[in-house]
Amino acid sequence: MFISLEFQQQNTNEKELSRVTCWLLGAIITALSIALTIALLVTDKAVPGLADLAAKNLDISGVENPVTAVLLNFRSYDTLLEIAVLLIVAVAILPTQSSTTTQFLSVDDKIIISPVLVGLLKWLVPLAILVGGYLLWTGAYSPGGAFQAGAVVAGAGVALSLAGRHDFLWQTTKARVALNLGLLVFLLVAAANAIVTGTSLQYPVEHAGWLILVVEIAATLSIAAILLLLFVRLKKIAERSEQEINQ
Amino acid sequence: MTQDLLYSVVGVALFGIGVFGVVVAAHVIRKLIAVNIMGIGVFMVLLASAHHGAITDPVPHAMVLTGIVVAVAGTAQCLWLALRIQLLDENEAGESTQ
C-alpha cells in the first residue's frame, strides 16, 4: 500500500518550507510545548475525578471492569456514537458497484505463495480469532473488550489479505450484516430498554450483564468487519487499478 | 507522581512534534501521520490525568479508547480521500498529455 508514499509533490501546489521558516516554527512550537507543560504542572488534577463515582456504581453496572462499565453502561452513548462513526466511514469507503457473487471470502488457489506463509496462516488466523474471543470475554473483568477483540480479529483478516490468496467481497449480504450488526443490536437493545423501562441506555441492574455482553459481541463483529474493510479497500486503491476500486 | 509527569511531558512533546509535522510537511500522508502523533500526545496526557496513586479514573481511559477508534476511522477516511484525489490528478494529467 505504500506505493503511494511517493505521492507526487508536484501534484500539490505546496512546496517545502524554507529552512529559516522551519527553525522559526520549531522555536514557536517548542515555546508552546513548554507553556503547555507548565500549564499541566501548575494545574491541580481533578482528584479523584470520577473514579469514586464509577467504583461506587460498579455493582449496578453488570460488569466488574470499570473501563468496560464506563464504555458500555455509564457512558454508552459514546460507544454507540463511536460505532456509528465507524459505520459512516465504512459506508464512505464501501465499493459502489454491485456484484453477483455471494461468497464473502474467496480463495484463489492458483496464486502461489510461500508454503511457510500458508502454514503460518493456518495457525495464526484461528489463533487470532480465539484471542479475540478471549479478549471479548475477559473485558467484563479485566482490560479487554469489544474494540480490542475486534482489532485482533481484523488482524487475522489483514494477514489473510496481505498473504495474497484471499479476497473479500463487501457487496455480499453476509458482509453487510457484519458491518451493520454492531449499531443495529446496540439500537435494538436501547429501543427495547426504552419500551420496557422508559430509559434507553440505562440498563436494569439484573439484566445489565447479559445485555452488555450481547452488545459487545455484535460490536466486536462489526468493529472487526469495518477495520478489515478499511484496510482491504485502502490496499486495493493503493494498488491503483480503477476496475478493482469499483468492483 | 513522577510517572504521571513523564507521561504528561512526553504527551505534550508528541503533541508539539505533531503540530510541527502538520505545518511543515508538504506531503498529505506525512501530514496525516503528524495529526495521528498529535492525537497520541493528547491520549497520553489524558491517561496520565487518570492516574491518582492507587485508584485509576476509568472515564479518561474509556474516552481514550473511544478516541483511538475515531482516530482510526478518521485516518482511514483521510487516506481514502487522499488516494482518490491522487488518482483523479493522475487521470487528468494522463488526459492532458494525450
Side-chain angles (χ1 to χ4, degrees):
Chain A
M1 122 179 225
F2 290 104
I3 308 164
S4 48
L5 266 185
E6 17 160 353
F7 227 77
Q8 291 78 8
Q9 268 157 23
Q10 66 260 31
N11 277 353
T12 61
N13 296 323
E14 290 161 77
K15 280 182 226 115
E16 296 280 350
L17 296 169
S18 76
R19 190 155 283 245
V20 182
T21 328
C22 278
W23 279 104
L24 204 67
L25 268 171
I28 294 170
I29 290 166
T30 312
L32 187 79
S33 302
I34 292 170
L36 273 175
T37 315
I38 294 169
L40 269 177
L41 289 181
V42 297
T43 320
D44 289 329
K45 275 187 187 176
V47 177
L50 295 164
D52 282 349
L53 199 63
K56 246 181 252 161
N57 290 305
L58 202 55
D59 295 341
I60 60 162
S61 72
V63 288
E64 283 167 36
N65 178 16
V67 177
T68 308
V70 171
L71 273 176
L72 283 142
N73 200 331
F74 306 150
R75 290 197 58 87
S76 45
Y77 256 120
D78 288 2
T79 311
L80 178 67
L81 293 178
E82 166 201 319
I83 295 174
V85 166
L86 270 179
L87 189 64
I88 289 168
V89 174
V91 168
I93 296 187
L94 267 177
T96 45
Q97 264 177 17
S98 60
S99 164
T100 47
T101 332
T102 52
Q103 213 178 358
F104 171 56
L105 183 67
S106 57
V107 191
D108 189 352
D109 280 330
K110 277 176 234 140
I111 298 169
I112 295 162
I113 57 173
S114 156
V116 180
L117 200 53
V118 176
L120 179 73
L121 286 179
K122 263 184 194 154
W123 276 93
L124 203 60
V125 172
L127 190 69
I129 293 169
L130 198 67
V131 171
Y134 170 72
L135 280 174
L136 174 62
W137 181 252
T138 197
Y141 313 97
S142 52
F147 177 65
Q148 290 92 327
V152 172
V153 175
V158 169
L160 281 180
S161 164
L162 282 177
R165 260 189 191 170
H166 295 75
D167 200 16
F168 302 91
L169 255 185
W170 299 100
Q171 291 91 338
T172 53
T173 322
K174 233 185 257 173
R176 297 267 150 113
V177 168
L179 292 173
N180 287 294
L181 197 67
L183 189 63
L184 270 181
V185 169
F186 215 139
L187 287 176
L188 272 178
V189 166
N193 208 23
I195 291 165
V196 177
T197 66
T199 49
S200 60
L201 287 167
Q202 201 173 343
Y203 308 131
V205 181
E206 62 271 28
H207 297 302
W210 70 266
L211 281 176
I212 286 175
L213 190 65
V214 168
V215 169
E216 274 209 296
I217 291 170
T220 304
L221 253 172
S222 282
I223 288 167
I226 291 170
L227 291 179
L228 184 59
L229 166 84
L230 300 184
F231 179 84
V232 171
R233 294 288 297 159
L234 284 170
K235 179 169 168 266
K236 262 203 177 150
I237 193 177
E239 283 164 0
R240 295 185 183 195
S241 112
E242 270 288 15
Q243 291 92 16
E244 275 184 332
I245 292 158
N246 294 320
Q247 246 169 41
Chain B
M1 183 60 207
T2 47
Q3 202 187 358
D4 302 0
L5 199 65
L6 184 68
Y7 263 72
S8 301
V9 171
V10 172
V12 171
L14 281 174
F15 183 78
I17 293 168
V19 174
F20 184 73
V22 171
V23 181
V24 169
H27 194 302
V28 183
I29 291 182
R30 285 202 190 132
K31 273 193 203 291
L32 202 55
I33 292 171
V35 171
N36 271 292
I37 292 173
M38 275 169 73
I40 290 166
V42 174
F43 293 154
M44 279 182 78
V45 173
L46 261 177
L47 287 180
S49 78
H51 188 243
H52 313 293
I55 40 167
T56 305
D57 190 346
V59 179
H61 278 260
M63 277 165 72
V64 168
L65 209 56
T66 310
I68 291 170
V69 182
V70 175
V72 168
T75 306
Q77 176 71 33
C78 287
L79 275 174
W80 175 250
L81 288 175
L83 287 165
R84 290 308 304 238
I85 290 167
Q86 187 195 11
L87 217 68
L88 281 177
D89 281 353
E90 274 172 14
N91 285 352
E92 261 173 36
E95 275 164 25
S96 62
T97 51
Q98 272 163 14

